[in-house]
Amino acid sequence: MNEVNRKLRCGVVGLGIGQMHISNYQSCPYADLVAICDINPVRLKDVGDKFKIPEEKRYISITEMLAKEHLDVCSIAVPNHLHKPLTIEALEAGCHVLCEKPMAMNSAEAQEMVDTAKKLGKRLMIDFSYRTSEQSVALKKAVDDGMLGEIYYARTQWLRRRGAPSG
């Protein structure tokens, strides 16, 4: 592949929910998962072994990973209070960023993330993956087709059964 068509070099920070990112990058023909990062060395080893990531591509420090791997894309899948600082660090290292939801702890942090991405000419995407689920698309179509009439109130409730967030 030439430079324009080459696979994107991807890394994942946070290996709880980040395992879903790893799996998806590994199955994408346009992505090359090159590195993973987690501050928990046991989780780092277990996840690295599970997904067959070479030991030299496993990092405890995002700073070291970003410096050594020259990533195009970095997934930030860490506890919510770390979304802003790690997203900004990845953006400043030259990465496009896919950050887990919620985006930030407040609107000021979110705005700083957006402003940094714009300033650096990088893409910042928040992983609202349920938007594209089969159920969500069907519901949106029903609304757009007028099947539900004028909507003036909605309520939703979620129950997590996947054990996330985990330790």
Side-chain angles (χ1 to χ4, degrees):
M1 290 187 169
N2 63 34
E3 180 63 22
V4 175
N5 295 333
R6 70 177 174 79
K7 288 185 174 189
L8 295 173
R9 293 177 53 82
C10 304
V12 175
V13 181
L15 302 180
I17 195 72
Q19 291 182 57
M20 295 173 78
H21 293 246
I22 292 170
S23 177
N24 288 320
Y25 285 135
Q26 287 183 329
S27 69
C28 178
Y30 307 108
D32 185 14
L33 178 75
V34 297
I36 59 174
C37 178
D38 197 288
I39 61 170
N40 180 329
V42 173
R43 182 184 298 161
L44 183 62
K45 180 188 180 330
D46 291 346
V47 173
D49 291 350
K50 175 181 176 182
F51 289 99
K52 298 177 177 46
I53 309 297
E55 287 188 34
E56 66 274 10
K57 300 296 185 178
R58 303 175 190 182
Y59 295 89
I60 289 178
S61 163
I62 184 178
T63 303
E64 182 182 5
M65 181 182 77
L66 293 171
K68 289 184 176 178
E69 297 299 337
H70 309 288
L71 302 173
D72 298 303
V73 177
C74 186
S75 283
I76 304 297
V78 297
N80 301 345
H81 71 280
L82 296 172
H83 287 180
K84 183 197 98 168
L86 298 187
T87 292
I88 289 175
E89 183 172 355
L91 290 166
E92 289 176 342
C95 299
H96 301 288
V97 173
L98 172 59
C99 182
E100 272 295 335
K101 61 190 171 303
M103 181 175 188
M105 299 302 290
N106 56 55
S107 62
E109 285 187 2
Q111 189 63 58
E112 187 176 348
M113 293 162 71
V114 169
D115 292 345
T116 301
K118 284 182 180 178
K119 178 181 81 176
L120 297 172
K122 296 295 172 185
R123 292 180 188 246
L124 169 60
M125 181 176 173
I126 307 307
D127 188 18
F128 288 113
S129 54
Y130 292 121
R131 277 188 197 166
T132 57
S133 72
E134 197 174 310
Q135 299 91 333
S136 296
V137 171
L139 181 57
K140 176 72 167 102
K141 182 175 180 352
V143 170
D144 290 347
D145 291 347
M147 292 175 62
L148 304 177
E150 180 185 354
I151 297 175
Y152 55 90
Y153 177 82
R155 180 173 183 235
T156 184
Q157 186 172 358
W158 295 88
L159 175 63
R160 292 184 86 146
R161 294 183 182 193
R162 292 180 294 187
S166 61

